[in-house]
Amino acid sequence: MQGIYDLVIIGGGPGGIGSVIEAKVLGLKKVLLIEKADNHSHTIRKFYKDKKRVDKDWQGQEVVLEGNVEFMDGTKESTLNYFDKLLDDELIDSRFNCEVTKVEKEDDIFYIHTPCGVDRAKNVIVSIGRMGKPNKPNYKIPASIRTRVNYNLDKCGNGEKILVVGGGDSAVEYACELSETNHVTLNYRRETLGRPNPTNKEMIKEFSDKGRVILKLGVDIESVVNEQGEIRVNFADGSHYFYDRAIYAIGGTTPKDFLKACGITLDDRGEPIFDDNYECETKGLYIAGDIAFASGGSIAIALNHGYRIVTHILGRG
């Protein structure tokens, strides 16, 4: 068994990367990053389309970077290259293709269990995403069309007739981005789009006014069927339309079982409980990145999580 780490970070997304860099810059000597995928930033690699724009001030949120990681507007590729450089320039321990199964605390030491073995640490940061477990519709999706039903932008082509289902920020962003090269309809069961942030509300209004996105609001979907190779969507108002692809952006579920296995207490909604320092009810156990947001957050804010957590750890001594 290895010696005791000052900090073990679970998850190689922006929150995890920020935590790694801040830990090394600010003076934590022994740090380990554990990631279940084969590389860091799995969500960005898998769910972002090639050359997708990545903004520091995501969705209009102006973020002041507090720590030692610089981050600026760019693309999927430039962001990944930058994170590569950060990690390559720092001497850290890392384990990829290694999934944490549980975290236990005994006598002020955390035991992090993985198929790779058991690591010990004084502090643990859980920095995982939400995108892996999207919500699904309550009606059946026929097996014959499941390859053309998505829960993100992965595998979307050009020149398709696409239905985006949802009323939040992700649904609006998907619809507007896809409309650059596709015919897009956005469907939401409520009559107004009240959930998106102000920037996205303005954007979808502009796209709708210009006819770039068709809005079908105030009507739910009753069923989807395969009709001669096309997706037939039957709406509750009696209408039906045909699409090449359907994308459901109806939220994601917190990975409750994993958080519980890490010793993180959840509230009545199944969300993790943590304080202003991102520390959970168990002393020395922290949460960072997407999982600390109720409904999505920015890369820059996730980087700030790492700075604040490491500063808190060092301040505690």
Side-chain angles (χ1 to χ4, degrees):
M1 184 182 289
Q2 296 276 352
I4 299 175
Y5 285 96
D6 293 314
L7 174 63
V8 167
I9 299 158
I10 301 170
I17 292 171
S19 300
V20 166
I21 303 306
E22 298 297 348
K24 299 304 291 187
V25 170
L26 296 175
L28 285 175
K29 302 299 183 184
K30 195 166 176 57
V31 180
L32 170 66
L33 173 68
I34 302 177
E35 165 59 46
K36 68 178 181 180
D38 60 1
N39 209 334
H40 67 83
S41 307
H42 175 70
T43 296
I44 294 175
R45 294 178 194 277
K46 180 174 181 181
F47 295 112
Y48 285 28
K49 294 186 75 173
D50 291 345
K51 299 181 180 178
K52 174 180 171 63
R53 207 175 95 184
V54 179
D55 295 331
K56 180 181 82 69
D57 294 330
W58 180 76
Q59 293 187 354
Q61 302 177 72
E62 292 188 14
V63 181
V64 176
L65 289 165
E66 301 169 1
N68 296 281
V69 180
E70 296 180 2
F71 184 70
M72 58 195 70
D73 296 348
T75 64
K76 168 185 176 179
E77 290 75 15
S78 69
T79 300
L80 291 175
N81 288 338
Y82 177 59
F83 287 161
D84 281 340
K85 183 176 183 298
L86 286 177
L87 294 177
D88 289 345
D89 284 352
E90 298 294 335
L91 297 174
I92 63 164
D93 288 340
S94 59
R95 295 210 182 93
F96 294 100
N97 292 314
C98 190
E99 185 167 6
V100 173
T101 55
K102 66 178 178 178
V103 177
E104 298 177 308
K105 187 176 185 182
E106 297 179 16
D107 299 327
D108 293 329
I109 298 297
F110 292 96
Y111 291 78
I112 301 95
H113 297 258
T114 75
C116 313
V118 179
D119 292 288
R120 295 177 295 165
K122 299 174 184 176
N123 301 280
V124 172
I125 298 174
V126 177
S127 182
I128 59 174
R130 293 173 177 264
M131 295 186 71
K133 296 185 178 181
N135 290 332
K136 305 294 178 70
N138 56 14
Y139 44 83
K140 182 179 179 181
I141 304 295
S144 58
I145 58 174
R146 282 180 191 161
T147 57
R148 288 183 284 120
V149 173
N150 303 77
Y151 299 90
N152 50 65
L153 296 185
D154 194 29
K155 299 180 182 178
C156 292
N158 297 326
E160 293 184 318
K161 191 174 182 182
I162 298 177
L163 175 69
V164 177
V165 182
D169 285 307
S170 292
V172 167
E173 290 165 12
Y174 289 173
C176 293
E177 181 169 341
L178 289 168
S179 71
E180 299 290 338
T181 54
N182 299 277
H183 304 282
V184 178
T185 298
L186 175 63
N187 165 245
Y188 184 46
R189 57 189 176 83
R190 300 191 186 278
E191 293 184 356
T192 58
L193 293 167
R195 291 168 49 202
N197 65 53
T199 300
N200 280 339
K201 285 181 181 178
E202 184 177 330
M203 180 170 66
I204 191 61
K205 182 180 186 305
E206 178 185 344
F207 276 58
S208 174
D209 289 345
K210 292 182 178 179
R212 295 174 61 182
V213 174
I214 298 170
L215 296 182
K216 188 170 179 62
L217 306 179
V219 58
D220 215 339
I221 296 173
E222 286 193 338
S223 64
V224 297
V225 298
N226 180 352
E227 189 162 311
Q228 296 181 342
E230 289 187 288
I231 301 172
R232 172 174 164 154
V233 179
N234 299 313
F235 292 95
D237 62 2
S239 65
H240 68 268
Y241 295 90
F242 294 92
Y243 302 94
D244 300 308
R245 187 174 302 279
I247 300 175
Y248 288 88
I250 52 178
T253 55
T254 304
K256 301 177 186 178
D257 292 341
F258 179 74
L259 295 178
K260 288 179 180 178
C262 289
I264 295 172
T265 308
L266 307 181
D267 63 18
D268 292 340
R269 298 171 296 122
E271 297 291 334
I273 297 172
F274 54 94
D275 64 17
D276 291 342
N277 298 306
Y278 302 96
E279 189 172 28
C280 300
E281 291 189 329
T282 300
K283 183 179 177 181
L285 179 61
Y286 297 84
I287 198 160
D290 281 357
I291 203 66
F293 296 101
S295 59
S298 78
I299 291 174
I301 293 176
L303 294 172
N304 282 346
H305 288 173
Y307 174 74
R308 294 179 188 178
I309 292 170
V310 172
T311 300
H312 185 255
I313 290 171
L314 290 168
R316 175 176 280 160

